Amino acid sequence: MELQTLTYIVVGLSFTLYIGIAFWARAGSTSEFYVAGGGIHPVANGMATAADWMSAASFISMAGLIAFFGYGGTVFLMGWTGGYVLLAMLLAPYLRKYGKFTVPEFIGDRYYSNTARVVAVICLILASVTYVIGQMKGVGVAFSRFLEVDYDTGLYIGMGIVFLYAVLGGMKGITYTQIAQYCVLILAYTIPAIFISLHLTGNPIPQFGLGGTLVGTDTYLLDKLDQIVQDIGFSEYTTQFRLSMTNTFFYTMSLMIGTAGLPHVIIRFFTVPKVSDARKSAGWALVFIAILYTTAPAVAAMARYNLMNTLEPAPGEYMKYDERPSWFNTWEKTGLLAVEDKNGDGRIHYTANKDENELVKIDNDIMVLANPEIAGLPNWVIALVAAGGLAAALSTAAGLLLAISSAISHDLLKGVFRPDISEKGELMASRVTMALAIMAAGYLGLNPPGFAAGTVALAFGLAASSIFPAVMMGIFSKKINKEGAVWGMIGGIGITLFYVFQHKGIMFIPGTEFLGSMKPNWFFGIEPNAFGAIGAIVNFAIAFSVSKVTAPPPEHIQHIVEDIRVPSGIGSASNH
């Protein structure tokens, strides 16, 4: 069957499944809308959490970054995996025991202040909207390629799909949809990897194939890849840092603590019946996540190897432009791949020398989606990858939009401005808020500040500098008071936003970099995407300093902090 027809069928069936689940599991109460009624099985919740966690950045972008940055790209792999462990061990069980719907609600109660709750909501919205932009970039890339439309049209289609199943179902619908999406995305990621590993190394397990030798030779895959990239002037694939050791450290740290501060994952642990189930679902989620994350380095290396061999089939003999494969031509139409014949010889010269390089644009985000086509895999595998890429982007986008919606409708509207609002009114406000959030995220997604994983890294930085320190101190320190928490969050996210917007533009709008380009003068060589760790340090320092010179928290609040960590009691998510 023709690839385009097969793609329409596979993607169409997956979308029908998602929307059908949303109708079947649509929320009828605020409890179902926010936490799925608190009755999800730990294994099912682990699978849904994995889908929520493994976004377009994980599925589409991470392997693409590792493919081009080599060892330096593994900051994403280590930061996100380590961050999930941090979340599962230090935050999720305690927040679940506390038994509230949202992170701002916990912050408001723990710091006995509506001001703290409002500041947390603002921080959450800034981080989550930035994160959604990255998902929308992934949606636009995937749709533009596989539906053969331009990027903007692809983005609008994705917005419509998310609107249908997220606004209808709330957390209940999103949870069951994400279980289906996990199955789709993990099959779409691992099946091509198995095929390609078997073809290149003779080993069907990609993780082993990465460290294996090429078929028919004694040469290791990574050694050969190092040689190929160095021959055309790039740095060695296996030993590059991300700009510098300092930057690599802070980038990894920012991703780790940002992971633990992102509320769309934390809120998933309120959907299980008991605290022990929260721990179990965290463990299961880590298992489901590890399947993709341990495969990603192999996908990255093999994709880069196949691309290099496509562009230069024999040493010094570059591919003729007129003989380029069909996948190359299709990606050119999307605008995410571009060639400029600088020397007029009709061939595509790919080199690290910018003056001679003729592959003038190759978006990192296309590598995973193009990988099966580059490797010449069957059409059904290519169609499956299309569905997987879309499932990854849509699953996380839905979770983020729910976090934004619940923050505004539950924490601001009901928690601060209209505490007497009816449950029906709150549910309607949640749906309206989510619809508005989808439109805002789509608008910003039309002009993303970079590749999907890079944009997501900015979101993690914002969460790292604001939410994570406030929650950590709220659980583990009795000394931090409301003044310390509020000024800590404002200081942490303020300095991070100042640094990010200076380099990326205000809300990432091109041309609004208010101090001009200062890339050569980055603070200690730390790029904006990695600055969240510095913001977190500022947050902790301000919170402890302010708390020292102001009144201590009331005694009942100090008892709450002690009780949260005592391993007894269940505590169910409160109905409001």
Side-chain angles (χ1 to χ4, degrees), residues 34-376:
Y34 294 134
V35 293
I40 305 298
H41 190 278
V43 177
N45 192 54
M47 195 175 290
T49 304
D52 205 351
W53 176 232
M54 293 189 295
S55 62
S58 294
F59 188 99
I60 295 174
S61 198
M62 182 172 63
L65 285 167
I66 298 173
F68 286 101
F69 294 154
Y71 177 80
T74 57
V75 295
F76 294 92
L77 189 69
M78 298 306 296
W80 285 335
T81 307
Y84 183 80
V85 175
L86 196 67
L87 168 66
M89 303 219 21
L90 294 182
L91 301 185
Y94 303 114
L95 290 173
R96 173 62 188 84
K97 183 183 178 185
Y98 191 67
K100 296 294 184 178
F101 281 149
T102 67
V103 172
E105 190 173 15
F106 167 76
I107 289 174
D109 285 1
R110 161 60 183 86
Y111 296 111
Y112 50 99
S113 166
N114 273 339
T115 302
R117 187 169 182 170
V118 171
V119 171
V121 168
I122 294 169
C123 294
L124 181 153
I125 290 171
L126 285 169
S128 297
V129 167
T130 306
Y131 200 161
V132 173
I133 297 170
Q135 306 315 305
M136 291 304 181
K137 168 76 188 299
V139 169
V141 169
F143 268 111
S144 63
R145 163 60 188 91
F146 292 105
L147 300 184
E148 295 191 359
V149 295
D150 60 68
Y151 172 84
D152 291 2
T153 304
L155 184 56
Y156 292 136
I157 296 171
M159 287 167 61
I161 297 295
V162 172
F163 179 87
L164 279 174
Y165 76 79
V167 174
L168 274 175
M171 178 59 86
K172 186 179 179 184
I174 287 171
T175 296
Y176 292 110
T177 302
Q178 284 173 336
I179 293 169
Q181 286 168 330
Y182 176 80
C183 296
V184 172
L185 75 86
I186 204 65
L187 288 173
Y189 204 84
T190 53
I191 288 175
I194 291 168
F195 271 103
I196 295 169
S197 179
L198 192 60
H199 174 71
L200 291 179
T201 68
N203 195 319
I205 303 174
Q207 292 88 337
F208 295 154
L210 177 64
T213 57
L214 294 166
V215 171
T217 73
D218 294 326
T219 306
Y220 285 95
L221 168 65
L222 290 175
D223 288 342
K224 183 65 174 177
L225 185 55
D226 274 341
Q227 178 192 334
I228 292 172
V229 297
Q230 286 180 296
D231 284 348
I232 59 174
F234 290 100
S235 300
E236 191 175 19
Y237 183 84
T238 54
T239 58
Q240 303 176 61
F241 280 114
R242 176 68 184 159
L243 301 183
S244 69
M245 172 71 86
T246 302
N247 186 70
T248 297
F249 172 80
F250 279 101
Y251 211 138
T252 306
M253 182 59 66
S254 181
L255 293 173
M256 280 185 66
I257 61 179
T259 296
L262 277 169
H264 78 288
V265 177
I266 292 175
I267 200 173
R268 289 232 57 93
F269 295 99
F270 295 122
T271 65
V272 292
K274 298 180 292 185
V275 176
S276 60
D277 290 336
R279 294 183 185 277
K280 289 175 186 175
S281 63
W284 278 109
L286 196 56
V287 171
F288 293 129
I289 290 168
I291 297 172
L292 187 144
Y293 269 52
T294 57
T295 307
V299 171
M302 292 172 188
R304 183 73 182 274
Y305 178 81
N306 282 330
L307 176 68
M308 302 299 289
N309 283 338
T310 301
L311 294 170
E312 191 178 356
E317 183 183 323
Y318 294 98
M319 181 177 70
K320 291 182 180 179
Y321 182 75
D322 291 341
E323 296 177 1
R324 67 194 186 284
S326 59
W327 67 264
F328 198 101
N329 181 48
T330 305
W331 279 109
E332 279 186 287
K333 291 177 182 176
T334 68
L336 300 171
L337 185 67
V339 173
E340 181 184 338
D341 191 1
K342 295 177 179 177
N343 61 10
D345 68 349
R347 293 179 180 271
I348 304 171
H349 293 256
Y350 181 45
T351 172
N353 186 327
K354 291 184 178 180
D355 295 329
E356 298 176 8
N357 179 46
E358 295 178 343
L359 188 62
V360 294
K361 181 176 183 181
I362 178 165
D363 195 302
N364 296 326
D365 292 344
I366 76 172
M367 288 305 295
V368 169
L369 299 178
N371 197 22
E373 296 176 281
I374 297 171

Side-chain angles (χ1 to χ4, degrees), residues 496-534:
T496 304
L497 282 174
F498 180 87
Y499 194 76
V500 168
F501 286 171
Q502 137 54 29
H503 294 289
K504 300 283 187 180
I506 299 172
M507 286 312 296
F508 318 117
I509 299 170
T512 60
E513 300 85 355
F514 46 87
L515 294 179
S517 177
M518 288 178 59
K519 183 174 178 179
N521 299 312
W522 281 352
F523 181 77
F524 287 112
I526 300 170
E527 61 187 305
N529 299 31
F531 201 74
I534 301 295

Side-chain angles (χ1 to χ4, degrees), residues 413-427:
L413 185 63
K414 182 175 178 61
V416 178
F417 299 115
R418 286 193 58 194
D420 58 341
I421 191 173
S422 67
E423 181 171 323
K424 185 177 180 181
E426 186 184 350
L427 189 59

Side-chain angles (χ1 to χ4, degrees), residues 423-443:
E423 181 171 323
K424 185 177 180 181
E426 186 184 350
L427 189 59
M428 178 57 68
S430 299
R431 287 181 165 138
V432 171
T433 303
M434 187 178 287
L436 293 173
I438 291 170
M439 288 188 279
Y443 173 77

